Amino acid sequence: MSAPTDVAATEPDPSPRETQDESFEAEGVELLDIDPQDEIVATTYEITSYGADYDVEGLIRRMNKNDIIVPSFEPSQPGIEVGAFQRGFVWRKTQMSRFIESLLLGLPVPGIFLVKDRDNRLLVLDGQQRLRSLQKFYDGKIDDRTFRLIGVQPPFEGQSYQDLRPEDRRRLDDSIIHATVLRDESTSGTQDAVYSIYERLNTGGSPLQPQEIRIALYEGDFLRGIARLNEDASWRNLYGPRSNRFRDHELILRAIALHEWQDQYRKPLKTFLNAYLDDHRDDIVDGGSGVGKLFIDAVHAIDSTIGKPAFRPERALNVAFADSVIVGVMRRLDTGKSFTEGELEHAYQTLIADEEFTAATTVRTSDEDYVNLRLDKATSAFAG
């Protein structure tokens, strides 16, 4: 794939908003990246939605049968916690208790959003804190202790589900929670319409990041594999502390997708990643073979040669710079040629000194021309 000639000189003068991608803090890691809220997903809506009222007892029964799923995964190696694969459970016990008390008192509670997947399961997009609170209460356990309500009014204070008076248990069992159920009817299968709708609905408080939405929409072996790759020690040194918003997971996905699908890349970036993930959602990814091994070998080579500054040409972790370096090293290793002593570092310094490459990693970094320019230059530099 040929790189555009003198891109920096031929591009029109960008607006102030377009000049530089955003720099912001993400759980202790300062990232230079496009603001995901600014990427417009152009899509037509081939979607059905309907409202459904579920009684609490029925919701819990469906969750226990895995007919309603809060996406998570069982760890396949030490150090990965169950449920670490989604936005963490953040409610305190008092919040959980007050929510359950609202239902016991017959008060209205916010609705939930569910997505019906291709297997007719219901995936929870919004409402996991409420549903998991109820599930824990019905199970009777929280942190290996009996779940008893706290900070609520008599006669509920100190009561477990089994301790409730029969009439109170029946009132809780019969309480109604309204759900909005969405299903993408388009033939593409990428669920871009559901993705866009949820982004628009999810505008208050602390909006979900794109990768958090993907975890619900594209639950499968591929994302579980990314979670395993995310635990690699070299990757953790290069990236920094784990991201509670899954920005580190997204960067792994981004590098792998650009490595394999560069010729299919079209902006916006998040739609490209959605399409790639939908096509690979059931693929097994691990550090011992295939593209997973290629990624791990690349980050080991980068970490052992450059170390933590590798993705930080300046102070912040530059995501476009990082994906380019990772892809360039992956492609070199994919040829079966290892690096000779000093070769990787020399290629890296060549990239840093390349003004066109620098521009393509700091300006409009999701534009097709700039993506192709920086990936082609990184591929060429590390090829030797």
Side-chain angles (χ1 to χ4, degrees):
M1 185 178 298
S2 60
T5 304
D6 197 13
V7 172
T10 58
E11 285 288 333
D13 185 35
S15 69
R17 179 64 177 170
E18 296 173 318
T19 301
Q20 178 123 344
D21 288 343
E22 296 296 304
S23 181
F24 53 92
E25 293 289 338
E27 301 93 27
V29 177
E30 185 180 1
L31 298 178
L32 178 66
D33 195 10
I34 52 176
D35 185 341
Q37 303 303 320
D38 286 345
E39 281 202 300
I40 298 174
V41 177
T43 183
T44 56
Y45 294 98
E46 299 177 46
I47 193 167
T48 58
S49 65
Y50 59 89
D53 290 329
Y54 293 98
D55 63 88
V56 167
E57 186 178 35
L59 282 171
I60 300 303
R61 184 174 64 251
R62 287 174 170 84
M63 290 178 72
N64 289 338
K65 291 169 56 182
N66 287 326
D67 291 335
I68 293 179
I69 298 174
V70 179
S72 62
F73 70 102
E74 294 292 335
S76 61
Q77 64 185 57
I80 305 178
E81 298 178 359
V82 175
F85 197 49
Q86 56 169 14
R87 173 178 262 184
F89 187 73
V90 298
W91 273 14
R92 300 184 301 276
K93 189 176 177 182
T94 51
Q95 291 175 285
M96 300 164 71
S97 297
R98 293 296 299 274
F99 171 68
I100 293 165
E101 180 195 31
S102 295
L103 294 170
L104 287 165
L105 293 172
L107 300 176
V109 297
I112 61 177
F113 280 84
L114 307 173
V115 173
K116 183 166 284 191
D117 71 5
R118 61 183 68 171
D119 298 319
N120 284 319
R121 300 174 304 175
L122 294 170
L123 307 179
V124 179
L125 270 185
D126 186 47
Q128 66 151 295
Q129 310 288 330
R130 282 158 274 164
L131 292 180
R132 292 175 70 191
S133 294
L134 286 167
Q135 190 175 38
K136 289 175 184 290
F137 189 60
Y138 273 70
D139 286 346
K141 293 289 184 182
I142 180 171
D143 298 329
D144 295 325
R145 296 184 178 184
T146 300
F147 187 168
R148 300 184 186 278
L149 300 176
I150 61 172
V152 297
Q153 66 185 42
F156 309 127
E157 180 70 26
Q159 300 290 292
S160 69
Y161 177 75
Q162 295 299 329
D163 293 334
L164 292 173
R165 297 177 303 184
E167 59 268 31
D168 292 328
R169 273 203 308 274
R170 284 191 288 270
R171 185 180 302 111
L172 180 61
D173 291 345
D174 295 340
S175 295
I176 297 299
I177 294 181
H178 181 75
T180 300
V181 183
L182 308 174
R183 181 162 190 165
D184 191 351
E185 303 292 350
S186 66
T187 57
S188 69
T190 61
Q191 302 203 79
D192 282 336
V194 173
Y195 184 101
S196 294
I197 288 173
Y198 190 67
E199 272 195 319
R200 292 167 187 264
L201 294 171
N202 180 51
T203 56
S206 180
L208 293 182
Q209 294 294 306
Q211 191 69 9
E212 293 178 290
I213 301 176
R214 289 186 194 106
I215 284 168
L217 290 181
Y218 304 107
E219 188 268 342
D221 289 327
F222 195 91
L223 284 175
R224 295 188 187 96
I226 284 182
R228 290 188 291 271
L229 299 180
N230 193 55
E231 297 300 307
D232 180 79
S234 290
W235 173 247
R236 293 267 48 98
N237 184 54
L238 291 169
Y239 185 91
R242 290 171 181 80
S243 168
N244 293 329
R245 310 302 300 276
F246 301 96
R247 297 299 301 271
D248 44 4
H249 290 230
E250 183 178 61
L251 181 50
I252 297 172
L253 169 64
R254 182 164 157 172
I256 291 174
L258 288 171
H259 166 67
E260 294 199 318
W261 271 24
Q262 180 185 344
D263 59 344
Q264 298 184 49
Y265 178 77
R266 300 292 183 276
K267 66 182 298 187
L269 173 66
K270 56 190 173 186
T271 300
F272 167 74
L273 295 179
N274 292 350
Y276 178 86
L277 189 51
D278 184 72
D279 193 66
H280 294 79
R281 66 192 298 172
D282 297 322
D283 291 356
I284 304 296
V285 181
D286 61 59
S289 62
V291 71
K293 183 178 188 303
L294 206 55
F295 173 83
I296 291 298
D297 288 348
V299 298
H300 285 183
I302 296 165
D303 184 42
S304 64
T305 304
I306 312 295
K308 190 166 186 174
F311 299 157
R312 296 166 172 82
E314 297 183 359
R315 185 166 66 99
L317 191 158
N318 183 319
V319 178
F321 189 96
D323 70 32
S324 305
V325 170
I326 296 169
V327 169
V329 176
M330 287 175 68
R331 288 177 175 172
R332 165 61 179 267
L333 297 177
D334 199 25
T335 66
K337 293 170 56 181
S338 59
F339 289 97
T340 59
E341 185 174 354
E343 187 181 7
L344 189 152
E345 185 173 7
H346 175 73
Y348 180 85
Q349 295 300 331
T350 299
L351 279 177
I352 290 180
D354 189 317
E355 293 183 359
E356 284 190 339
F357 177 79
T358 299
T361 60
T362 53
V363 180
R364 295 197 296 272
T365 55
S366 66
D367 283 8
E368 290 92 341
D369 285 347
Y370 279 78
V371 169
N372 289 325
L373 173 64
R374 71 171 188 262
L375 292 179
D376 290 345
K377 281 185 172 289
T379 301
S380 177
F382 289 109

